Amino acid sequence: MKHLFVSLLLLGAFLHALAQCTVPASEFQLEGDYLLAGLFDIHHDSSTVEQDRPEAIDCSSKEFILSSYRRFQLMRFAVEEINNSTKLLPNVSLGYEIFDHCSDTHNFPGIFKLLSVDGLIQPWGEPHKNLSKVMAVVGPYTSTQALTVAPLFMMDLIPMVSYGAASSVFSRKLIFPSFLRTVHPNKDVIEIIVNIMQHFNWRWVAFLNSDDAYGNDGRDLFIKRIKDTEICLAYNKGLNQDTVHSKIFKQIEAQRIDIIIVVAPEWNAKALIESAIQLNVTKKVWIGGDAWSLNKELPKKKGIQNIGTVIGVSEPKVTIPGFSDFIYSSKSLNYCENAEQTLFCNQVCNCSSLSAEEILAVDPSFNFPVYSAVHAIAHALHNALQCESGRCKGNITVYPHMVLAELKKSNFTLLNQSVTFDENGDPNFGSYSIVFWNQSGDAEEIGICHFHPKFNFFINDTKIQWYTKKEAPTSLCSQECDEGHAKKQDGIHQCCFNCEICPKETYINKTVDPYECINCKETEWSAAGSTSCTLRVVEYVPFTDSGAILIMVGAWALVGLTLAMSVLFAINYNTPVVRSAGGPMCFLIFGCLSLCSLSVFFYFGKPTTSFCILRFLPFLLFYTVCLACFVVRSFQIVYIFKIAAKFPKLHSLWMKYHGQWLVITVAFVTQALLLLFGYTFAPPKPYNETLWYPDKIILGCDINFKVFFGPVVLLVSLCSLCFIFSYMGKDLPKNYNEAKAITFCLLLLILTWIIFATEYLLYHGKYIQTLNALAVLSSLYSFLLWYFLPKCYIIIFQSYKNTQEYFQGLIQNYNTRQ
């Protein structure tokens, strides 16, 4: 009886087990003509315990990730859907071998199983002959996981289509030739985040990233992207299991940062947000990456509203037809292991307690990438098998590299999206949603961003309920400068600055460079604190100016007077007055004075190079001759009355060699050579005077005073000699005293140029040219009026004084007194 009782118990247990085991299979395996591998982190190993001996990892004992389990089910659904399709891979069945890839570094047994042939890996075998039945791999989820296992598949060009590995390194086809992905690379997510910050003018931000391939790549891309923007990375920290969140938040508060960007997997982000709630971190804007923005638990956490406003970038919520029915159907079945099957430890889920509602309610992130990855592989296999007319060719041996070639050429429509890949294996399809965690604890869509066929960013500000209860918060290290002020960087961050007013003659253009005051052009001016420059008023003395007209009339009058005096002196050439005035030398002086007057006309009108040359050349050259003539004349007068008797031989030599003409010629030639040298090496040229008047440009002529030092010194020397000789003759006969007249003329000449020099130092307006012309004309009139005009008066009105007897009487009286 005892044995019979035991047998009945064993039979009852067996029948009960048989009743529970309705499907003699595993969710992780499915037989098929062609095998797909799947890598899903259904569990997450967050352990930091160091091992002192080798141990196998038991994924089923680790932290369960419900959202990954949903993605795992989505692959199963996609394969079943394809197997039930009469258009895609007809008369061909797909199987799968899925592993719970819970660890970055401890799941290689499952990978080796995928790569093995009959339980063996033969790396020395011939290509194409020792490959497993695996045609392609779907997954893994994270970039770190992909980095550890991808090289093993790359060497045999087994396609890997990842639905979550976003690191930019996978775009490098020389390293990862058979790697494709249905999720956008990190640079696209970073581009959206930067656009969000620019949209709200947030410039002072913290960037928290997972301390792994995904997060570090995001950080590097962010730093590169904001390089030429006004956004500053105030604080950055990598997140891992050992991170002390309180220290992070203290640093953020110390630097007055109100915008926190978090690019990390959901387990890192979840720990961070929960710590922020516990530590009472408030008044922040959180910008989440696509890995956690659609998390279902965090928005409903108690106290989540206190941390501030949460905005995220996420995959769009795509409804996949039939998936809900599949989950309900699948959860109504009880899977168990076939006695003949051997499952790996990372092919155990213990998920029987989960309800279909729990699975469908979880974060739907990366669902479409999983779905499109499976379909992309199926379409590639469909093309490799040359399927058409409802059948696939059975005589074709398909290898993974053939599937890879067709994958790269993918071009099919899936749920109204055209699935294609670029040359780097990155998707040319899909978009991103911008979501906001509203008061109800839901991720509400507030914007969208398309990358194909062109970048298009849109965000609806009105849907966001800011923690400020008003407009969007600001995040600036320094407040914006007032108009006309430039930013001067304070510290290492360009967002931290002091404001300095731009000085006069500069302006600030904030759209070009808010940190530098730009100098105005020479033709422009500005007051201090300007945002633009104003054209200067160009000024010069035109020929139509009343002062210019008077001076030019005066110059023509001078020419007329010299002509008239020349005629008068020619008629009375042999009279004592003309002979005492200089005789033939008078006509040379008249001619030079007339030629000097030419300079006056070139002080007016818009200066040109020729005008600048002729403004000085006639006066300097021919006035030298005039002064040389008066030097000779004053010397002769003094010599005749005071020196001739003492040095008779000198007088004879002077008369023999025509000393007066020799001196005049030497002075003329010397001055001509000096002017030729000066005009050759540094000729006068037009010059815009902008120093003295900020709003004006005074047109004038630029003179190199070093080059023209010689001609001026020669004039001054002649003037000095003339003054010395004429002063020596101040006591000569009253009516025969040319020396006194010359002295007076020289005093007028010196006084004229002293007055002009004073005006030149004090006044810098356009009328300085008029004054210069007036000084030149006055220099000419000083000799014409005060030396020659009195003699003309004697010739015309006092002819009795213009006789030989009258002059001899004066000389005799002078000799008698001496």
Side-chain angles (χ1 to χ4, degrees):
M1 285 295 291
K2 183 177 180 182
H3 294 289
L4 178 60
F5 179 73
V6 172
S7 299
L8 289 173
L9 285 176
L10 290 173
L11 179 61
F14 173 76
L15 292 173
H16 178 75
L18 185 61
Q20 296 295 317
C21 183
T22 58
V23 181
S26 168
E27 289 185 302
F28 290 87
Q29 295 177 342
L30 179 68
E31 292 293 330
D33 298 326
Y34 295 95
L35 196 64
L36 303 186
L39 301 176
F40 294 86
D41 52 348
I42 299 172
H43 295 84
H44 174 64
D45 180 19
S46 59
S47 174
T48 58
V49 178
E50 294 185 7
Q51 297 179 348
D52 56 2
R53 55 180 167 179
E55 290 182 7
I57 187 169
D58 181 10
C59 285
S60 62
S61 64
K62 304 302 179 182
E63 179 186 358
F64 179 67
I65 307 297
L66 184 54
S67 58
S68 288
Y69 181 70
R70 175 182 168 127
R71 291 188 282 268
F72 158 76
Q73 291 291 351
L74 197 53
M75 177 178 174
R76 296 182 61 243
F77 164 72
V79 171
E80 181 176 298
E81 183 183 55
I82 293 165
N83 285 340
N84 292 331
S85 172
T86 57
K87 294 181 179 180
L88 185 58
L89 289 175
N91 74 302
V92 173
S93 64
L94 288 180
Y96 52 75
E97 184 89 18
I98 304 176
F99 292 92
D100 183 1
H101 202 77
C102 63
S103 170
D104 295 339
T105 57
H106 293 93
N107 285 139
F108 282 100
I111 304 301
F112 293 147
K113 184 176 186 297
L114 293 174
L115 294 170
S116 65
V117 180
D118 298 327
L120 295 174
I121 297 177
Q122 299 178 7
W124 57 85
E126 295 182 29
H128 310 318
K129 291 187 178 181
N130 293 296
L131 294 179
S132 70
K133 290 177 66 177
V134 173
M135 289 291 105
V137 180
V138 176
Y141 173 55
T142 70
S143 296
T144 304
Q145 292 168 353
L147 280 171
T148 56
V149 302
L152 298 174
F153 295 101
M154 297 300 107
M155 60 184 179
D156 287 325
L157 294 181
I158 298 175
M160 289 187 71
V161 186
S162 176
Y163 53 86
S167 177
S168 56
V169 71
F170 297 114
S171 296
R172 300 167 63 181
K173 292 300 101 178
L174 287 177
I175 303 175
F176 300 98
S178 62
F179 191 96
L180 296 92
R181 52 184 160 192
T182 51
V183 65
H184 283 263
N186 268 339
K187 67 180 181 64
D188 291 344
V189 176
I190 295 301
E191 181 67 27
I192 298 172
I193 291 174
V194 171
N195 272 268
I196 291 173
M197 290 190 294
Q198 290 177 329
H199 179 81
F200 293 109
N201 198 30
W202 293 328
R203 302 178 186 176
W204 190 238
V205 300
F207 192 96
L208 306 181
N209 59 277
S210 54
D211 191 12
D212 57 14
Y214 164 68
N216 292 333
D217 179 66
R219 174 202 61 204
D220 295 341
L221 289 170
F222 180 76
I223 293 172
K224 182 179 179 181
R225 175 61 180 81
I226 66 173
K227 184 177 181 181
D228 296 321
T229 69
E230 294 183 341
I231 300 169
C232 290
L233 179 56
Y235 179 74
N236 170 243
K237 181 66 176 178
L239 305 174
N240 54 41
Q241 293 88 346
D242 300 323
T243 301
V244 181
H245 296 125
S246 59
K247 292 183 178 180
I248 293 176
F249 293 126
K250 283 182 180 179
Q251 288 287 334
I252 289 174
E253 287 297 332
Q255 297 188 55
R256 297 178 290 110
I257 304 169
D258 295 326
I259 310 298
I260 304 174
I261 302 167
V262 182
V263 176
E266 59 180 328
W267 47 85
N268 289 132
K270 183 179 179 181
L272 179 73
I273 298 298
E274 289 176 346
S275 294
I277 296 172
Q278 294 173 2
L279 295 169
N280 196 29
V281 176
T282 60
K283 298 181 180 179
K284 305 296 178 189
V285 174
W286 304 76
I287 303 177
D290 55 348
W292 64 277
S293 294
L294 295 183
N295 187 282
K296 297 290 186 177
E297 298 178 12
L298 286 176
K300 294 179 171 60
K301 283 271 185 183
K302 183 180 179 181
I304 191 67
Q305 300 299 330
N306 297 332
I307 69 170
T309 304
V310 181
I311 297 173
V313 179
S314 73
E315 293 276 346
K317 299 175 183 178
V318 178
T319 301
I320 300 175
F323 179 59
S324 297
D325 295 337
F326 172 81
I327 293 297
Y328 279 106
S329 174
S330 177
K331 294 313 292 182
S332 67
L333 302 176
N334 291 314
Y335 292 89
C336 64
E337 297 180 16
N338 190 313
E340 295 179 358
Q341 287 181 316
T342 303
L343 297 178
F344 271 55
C345 57
N346 57 339
Q347 288 184 308
V348 178
C349 180
N350 298 326
C351 307
S352 58
S353 61
L354 287 173
S355 67
E357 289 77 9
E358 288 179 290
I359 298 171
L360 294 173
V362 81
D363 175 5
S365 295
F366 304 99
N367 282 5
F368 185 75
V370 173
Y371 186 65
S372 58
V374 177
H375 273 267
I377 296 169
H379 276 80
L381 186 59
H382 181 93
N383 294 332
L385 289 170
Q386 300 178 18
C387 301
E388 57 185 11
S389 301
R391 294 193 62 81
C392 297
K393 293 184 179 180
N395 59 348
I396 298 177
T397 304
V398 179
Y399 296 104
H401 73 275
M402 298 168 62
V403 178
L404 174 63
E406 295 298 334
L407 263 172
K408 292 179 179 179
K409 297 184 289 184
S410 294
N411 190 355
F412 62 94
T413 301
L414 184 65
L415 299 184
N416 298 321
Q417 295 195 48
S418 180
V419 177
T420 60
F421 298 95
D422 64 16
E423 65 276 7
N424 298 318
D426 296 331
N428 275 334
F429 60 93
S431 59
Y432 274 101
S433 295
I434 302 168
V435 298
F436 156 68
W437 289 6
N438 60 27
Q439 301 290 333
S440 303
D442 297 320
E444 178 184 353
E445 184 175 294
I446 58 170
I448 194 165
C449 182
H450 294 281
F451 290 95
H452 305 285
K454 64 178 182 179
F455 184 80
N456 182 25
F457 175 86
F458 168 76
I459 188 168
N460 187 351
D461 304 10
T462 60
K463 288 187 176 182
I464 305 175
Q465 300 168 1
W466 300 105
Y467 68 82
T468 58
K469 307 298 182 183
K470 298 178 182 178
E471 66 280 352
T474 59
S475 184
L476 303 170
C477 178
S478 301
Q479 291 298 319
E480 279 299 306
C481 295
D482 294 333
E483 290 293 320
H485 288 69
K487 300 175 182 178
K488 297 302 177 184
Q489 189 169 321
D490 182 17
I492 62 173
H493 296 292
Q494 64 175 3
C495 295
C496 301
F497 49 82
N498 298 316
C499 297
E500 294 183 5
I501 191 169
C502 287
K504 63 180 182 179
E505 308 304 324
T506 67
Y507 71 99
I508 186 73
N509 186 343
K510 292 185 178 181
T511 59
V512 176
D513 185 1
Y515 296 88
E516 192 70 33
C517 295
I518 305 170
N519 291 323
C520 292
K521 296 178 182 177
E522 188 178 351
T523 57
E524 298 174 334
W525 75 283
S526 68
S530 296
T531 57
S532 63
C533 293
T534 305
L535 282 174
R536 295 175 185 259
V537 178
V538 178
E539 290 190 350
Y540 60 91
V541 182
F543 286 105
T544 55
D545 182 78
S546 56
I549 292 173
L550 288 174
I551 290 175
M552 288 188 290
V553 169
W556 283 114
L558 183 138
V559 173
L561 284 173
T562 55
L563 182 61
M565 289 181 182
S566 297
V567 172
L568 182 64
F569 273 48
I571 295 172
N572 299 277
Y573 182 74
N574 292 316
T575 61
V577 171
V578 174
R579 303 297 292 181
S580 67
M585 201 178 295
C586 294
F587 299 103
L588 178 61
I589 295 172
F590 287 144
C592 288
L593 288 176
S594 297
L595 290 173
C596 285
S597 67
L598 290 175
S599 293
V600 172
F601 296 94
F602 297 100
Y603 280 93
F604 310 112
K606 189 174 182 178
T608 62
T609 302
S610 57
F611 267 50
C612 289
I613 291 173
L614 294 174
R615 182 176 290 188
F616 304 105
L617 180 62
F619 178 74
L620 290 173
L621 184 61
F622 296 111
Y623 206 72
T624 299
V625 177
C626 291
L627 285 177
C629 290
F630 283 108
V631 168
V632 168
R633 186 65 191 139
S634 59
F635 172 76
Q636 286 178 327
I637 294 170
V638 173
Y639 181 80
I640 290 170
F641 285 96
K642 293 192 174 184
I643 304 176
K646 298 179 181 179
F647 302 99
K649 289 184 178 181
L650 182 61
H651 178 65
S652 62
L653 289 173
W654 178 269
M655 297 302 295
K656 179 181 179 181
Y657 293 104
H658 304 285
Q660 67 274 26
W661 298 111
L662 185 62
V663 170
I664 293 169
T665 302
V666 170
F668 174 76
V669 172
T670 302
Q671 187 68 298
L673 291 174
L674 289 172
L675 289 171
L676 179 64
F677 175 80
Y679 278 86
T680 300
F681 291 98
K685 55 187 178 182
Y687 171 70
N688 296 339
E689 174 57 65
T690 59
L691 181 64
W692 297 103
Y693 298 96
D695 58 339
K696 296 178 182 179
I697 296 177
I698 308 298
L699 300 185
C701 292
D702 183 28
I703 301 176
N704 190 326
F705 288 102
K706 293 182 180 180
V707 174
F708 285 85
F709 180 73
V712 173
V713 167
L714 180 59
L715 279 176
V716 172
S717 300
L718 290 173
C719 186
S720 301
L721 286 173
C722 188
F723 185 81
I724 291 170
F725 291 139
S726 62
Y727 186 78
M728 290 173 64
K730 66 181 186 299
D731 56 346
L732 294 178
K734 180 179 180 182
N735 289 338
Y736 196 76
N737 197 354
E738 271 77 6
K740 287 183 179 180
I742 293 172
T743 302
F744 184 72
C745 291
L746 290 173
L747 288 174
L748 286 177
L749 176 67
I750 294 169
L751 181 62
T752 296
W753 287 101
I754 288 175
I755 293 172
F756 173 73
T758 304
E759 292 171 340
Y760 187 82
L761 293 174
L762 300 177
Y763 173 69
H764 303 279
K766 66 177 182 178
Y767 290 109
I768 196 68
Q769 312 300 336
T770 304
L771 295 174
N772 198 344
L774 184 62
V776 169
L777 195 62
S778 176
S779 301
L780 303 180
Y781 271 108
S782 65
F783 285 111
L784 191 68
L785 297 179
W786 304 108
Y787 184 78
F788 288 107
L789 190 61
K791 292 170 175 46
C792 292
Y793 180 81
I794 292 173
I795 293 171
I796 297 172
F797 299 106
Q798 296 180 341
S799 56
Y800 67 92
K801 294 183 180 180
N802 191 17
T803 60
Q804 192 72 23
E805 294 80 9
Y806 184 79
F807 271 80
Q808 286 179 348
L810 293 174
I811 294 172
Q812 288 175 358
N813 291 334
Y814 174 79
N815 291 332
T816 303
R817 289 197 303 272
Q818 294 295 320

